Amino acid sequence: MTDLPPRCAGVLLRGCGSATPARSISNDELGDRVETSDTWIRSRTGIAARRIVGREESLTALSAKAAEAALQMAGWSADSLDLILLATSTPDDLFGSAPRLQARIGAVRAAAFDVTAACSGFLFAVITAAQYLRCGAMQRILVVGADQLSRWVDWDDRRSCVLFGDAAGALVLEASIDGQDDLGGFLLRSDGSRGDVLQLPHHRDHLPLVGSASHQKGGFESIQMNGQEVYKFAVREVPAILDALLQKTGASAEQLDWLLLHQANQRILDAVAERFSIPQSKVLSNLASYGNTSAATIPLMLDEAVRDGRIQAGHRIASSGFGAGLSWGAALLRWSGPA
């Protein structure tokens, strides 16, 4: 754990929550749509099912449900929040959905804005929130990671449609001036030169405007992914950044209680754990039930493990988010829980 700069506040993790759509779609059901099977999907990804937002559901509604659960755990009212960060790449409104979330939960004092970093988004947003808390500008912050990737999946592409699902997860953080700090260190990385291996690109449609001028029509393609390259990126960069963070902070893998990675592929989780000789009993995974929910995977898994008692107060967690951008990061966390 690193020392804080003079007069710099610590960060406390006070509550978490999550929400998933009602409808779960199994691998066998997907096999009725595309040429695939439960055995094929499980053996390559570890995924057995995924949740998909239905007609009466929305990203904002899921985010609000997760946020309210986190606030309830912390024992906070929504009007005590100073800031809301919504990590999402699939907002209900392209101008930003965080203000809608702010209004929906009644956080009348809070500023709110979106953070877009795809599967790294939640971790990037938590680290961003920590800076507001450390400098004393704010006291309480809600971070939500939520994505509705089912909007942008080509459901006839069996290479990608089996991977993704929808969900929301939330974490509330509080500034501390008593020396306690639940964020022991972090590292962030981006490499746009490799961004085309996982992207959701804008349509390149041009329509006549006036005279010889044209305009670009709004809209996006489906998710485009080079699965082999994404896998190689993850198994190379995630261990490297975690190793660099452990060295930077003077921590060791043996001191960790849990490894909590972005839930993209079980083989990635296994490879990272093997690199650090972390036993499977310390690797958190719910990938089988939800698939890759992008910015929601880490807080969704965190909430599940806190509520079922696996994660206890004082437990140390190494976390890493990685994905489109390309972007990736790592953080050493400690769970404090409600005051």
Side-chain angles (χ1 to χ4, degrees):
M1 301 299 178
T2 55
D3 294 332
L4 295 174
R7 298 182 302 280
C8 187
V11 178
L12 301 176
L13 311 185
R14 287 305 196 192
C16 55
S18 62
T20 57
R23 182 69 162 93
S24 178
I25 297 180
S26 70
N27 291 342
D28 287 330
E29 288 179 287
L30 273 187
D32 293 333
R33 169 89 185 210
V34 295
E35 186 180 347
T36 190
S37 69
D38 179 66
T39 300
W40 191 93
I41 298 170
R42 282 181 187 258
S43 64
R44 287 162 175 80
T45 69
I47 298 169
R50 69 285 299 145
R51 300 292 182 95
I52 302 298
V53 165
R55 292 181 181 272
E56 305 302 319
E57 299 170 315
S58 70
L59 181 87
T60 301
L62 285 180
S63 299
K65 186 175 180 180
E68 289 164 350
L71 289 167
Q72 183 179 34
M73 179 183 288
W76 297 357
S77 62
D79 61 10
S80 71
L81 292 171
D82 299 305
L83 179 65
I84 296 171
L85 300 181
L86 174 59
T88 186
S89 299
T90 57
D92 289 333
D93 185 334
L94 199 57
F95 286 158
S97 289
R100 294 188 179 196
L101 172 60
Q102 178 255 358
R104 184 155 184 153
I105 67 173
V108 295
R109 293 180 51 253
F113 61 90
D114 290 15
V115 175
T116 302
C119 299
S120 304
F122 177 76
L123 199 62
F124 277 41
V126 167
I127 292 165
T128 299
Q131 311 318 306
Y132 287 101
L133 298 173
R134 290 199 192 288
C135 73
M138 296 178 178
Q139 184 66 26
R140 288 181 172 178
I141 299 178
L142 164 69
V143 177
V144 176
D147 269 305
Q148 189 178 339
L149 293 177
S150 61
R151 285 173 167 160
W152 302 109
V153 169
D154 179 354
W155 288 102
D156 295 315
D157 179 4
R158 68 171 185 166
R159 299 168 302 173
S160 61
C161 73
V162 302
L163 303 175
F164 301 108
D166 306 332
L171 180 67
V172 289
L173 303 91
E174 185 173 32
S176 168
I177 57 173
D178 64 1
Q180 186 176 348
D181 191 12
D182 290 344
L183 178 58
F186 66 87
L187 291 171
L188 302 177
R189 298 283 187 268
S190 297
D191 183 1
S193 68
R194 292 185 280 171
D196 60 355
V197 303
L198 179 55
Q199 59 181 334
L200 207 172
H202 177 261
H203 280 300
R204 299 295 294 177
D205 294 338
H206 292 261
L207 300 177
L209 182 57
V210 292
S212 62
S214 65
H215 71 94
Q216 290 189 12
K217 175 69 174 177
F220 295 87
E221 306 284 352
S222 298
I223 294 172
Q224 298 176 7
M225 182 178 68
N226 182 326
Q228 185 176 14
E229 289 302 314
V230 171
Y231 178 81
K232 289 193 293 186
F233 149 71
V235 297
R236 179 176 60 249
E237 301 293 0
V238 174
I241 199 170
L242 283 170
D243 186 55
L245 182 58
L246 291 173
Q247 292 188 42
K248 176 184 175 182
T249 58
S252 67
E254 292 76 16
Q255 294 172 323
L256 300 174
D257 294 293
W258 300 103
L259 181 64
L260 173 51
L261 304 179
H262 166 53
Q263 308 281 295
N265 186 305
Q266 188 62 45
R267 292 189 298 168
I268 295 174
L269 274 60
D270 293 343
V272 176
E274 183 179 358
R275 164 65 179 78
F276 293 98
S277 300
I278 296 174
Q280 285 299 313
S281 60
K282 290 187 175 184
V283 179
L284 294 169
S285 175
N286 60 6
L287 185 68
S289 300
Y290 303 108
N292 180 349
T293 58
S294 193
T297 67
I298 291 175
L300 178 65
M301 184 67 257
L302 174 70
D303 185 52
E304 180 179 310
V306 167
R307 292 182 185 273
D308 68 19
R310 278 176 287 175
I311 294 179
Q312 298 285 326
H315 278 188
R316 293 161 294 185
I317 306 163
S319 186
S320 179
F322 51 91
L326 294 172
S327 63
W328 65 106
L332 290 181
L333 306 171
R334 180 176 56 204
W335 177 252
S336 282

